[in-house]
Amino acid sequence: QLQLQESGPGLVKPSETLSLTCTVSGDSINSTSYYWGWIRQPPGKGLEWIGSMYYSGSAYYNPSLKSRVTMSVDTSKNHFSLKLTSVTAADTAVYFCARVLIGSDWFDPWGQGTLVTVSS
Amino acid sequence: QSVLTQPPSVSAAPGQKVTISCSGSSYNIEKEFVSWYQQLPGTAPKLLIYDNYKRPSGIPDRFSGSKSGTSASLGITGLQSGDEANYFCGAWDSSLSAVVFGGGTNLSVL
């Protein structure tokens, strides 16, 4: 059964870089059928798509975040990562990773999510 | 302000039916597939509906999806207390070149 698990610091200082990893188990991240994505949810608010990437490294990002986002994949560790630079309090959110079927834009399944707070 | 518009909350009695709406535009709902997610308190979203009306394996047929023009709807019949959750719609937006979501609808089963 496919499972995704986010990991990373729960607290990041303003202006620094947020770094998270999503470890995939139960399937290979090398799958040619799927992309791997990040979505975030500020406390008490709705969902915001951050970006999605293929195991080859090609990625597409939400234009509203594109200048600050980098996604990468490590096939040897079966995980993919997110970096968000120059964070502010507005980046405080629960960050989820999820799988995306190629040619679609729906996410299934999702990781449990990890709360990242931006504060000094 | 979400690109897709959902009512903040809906409520209905156990056993009844409820419909949750999701309003968008020609750049998203009208020409793109809609998906729906259920988020139980303190948990990750779970895919309920994809490609407007299709249900993933394991999702009961009490959940249904439909679309007409620039609006989509999620229907839930035979409401149970376990259906109390936040429900989100999502779709690709061709003008923004991004996946967009609704603000979420909180369902109360009274």
Side-chain angles (χ1 to χ4, degrees):
Chain A
Q1 180 182 355
L2 177 69
Q3 290 186 317
L4 296 90
Q5 177 69 59
E6 305 87 352
S7 60
L11 181 64
V12 181
K13 290 182 169 54
S15 80
E16 296 190 344
T17 297
L18 178 159
S19 297
L20 295 174
T21 294
C22 179
T23 300
V24 178
S25 59
D27 191 11
S28 172
I29 204 167
N30 286 337
S31 172
T32 56
S33 299
Y34 298 101
Y35 271 71
W36 305 91
W38 289 97
I39 307 99
R40 69 181 183 178
Q41 184 175 34
K45 296 187 178 180
L47 302 169
E48 181 180 32
W49 172 69
I50 300 170
S52 301
M53 75 174 307
Y54 197 51
Y55 79 93
S56 64
S58 66
Y60 56 112
Y61 303 129
N62 190 325
S64 68
L65 297 169
K66 186 176 181 178
S67 64
R68 298 193 292 130
V69 172
T70 302
M71 293 177 62
S72 60
V73 63
D74 187 331
T75 56
S76 67
K77 296 180 179 178
N78 217 44
H79 73 209
F80 61 104
S81 301
L82 169 72
K83 289 189 186 299
L84 181 66
T85 62
S86 305
V87 297
T88 69
D91 295 309
T92 293
V94 176
Y95 286 75
F96 298 99
C97 58
R99 188 180 69 174
V100 186
L101 179 67
I102 283 182
S104 78
D105 46 58
W106 41 266
F107 302 90
D108 179 57
W110 298 54
Q112 66 182 31
T114 187
L115 174 63
V116 179
T117 301
V118 178
S119 175
S120 56
Chain B
Q1 190 78 353
S2 301
V3 175
L4 304 181
T5 301
Q6 298 180 237
S9 63
V10 296
S11 61
Q16 296 300 304
K17 174 182 177 178
V18 71
T19 300
I20 297 173
S21 62
C22 176
S23 178
S25 71
S26 60
Y27 295 112
N28 40 66
I29 291 180
E30 184 173 48
K31 295 176 182 172
E32 305 290 343
F33 288 116
V34 178
S35 54
W36 288 91
Y37 303 87
Q38 176 193 60
Q39 187 175 31
L40 297 169
T43 70
K46 174 184 177 182
L47 181 68
L48 283 181
I49 298 289
Y50 66 98
D51 292 355
N52 301 331
Y53 64 89
K54 297 176 182 177
R55 283 178 285 107
S57 173
I59 301 300
D61 59 7
R62 299 189 300 109
F63 296 90
S64 63
S66 64
K67 188 177 85 168
S68 179
T70 59
S71 292
S73 295
L74 172 70
I76 310 173
T77 61
L79 279 172
Q80 304 170 2
S81 59
D83 296 330
E84 288 200 325
N86 215 353
Y87 292 84
F88 294 92
C89 56
W92 177 259
D93 188 292
S94 58
S95 69
L96 298 173
S97 294
V99 179
V100 294
F101 295 96
T105 298
N106 191 52
L107 169 63
S108 295
V109 181
L110 304 173

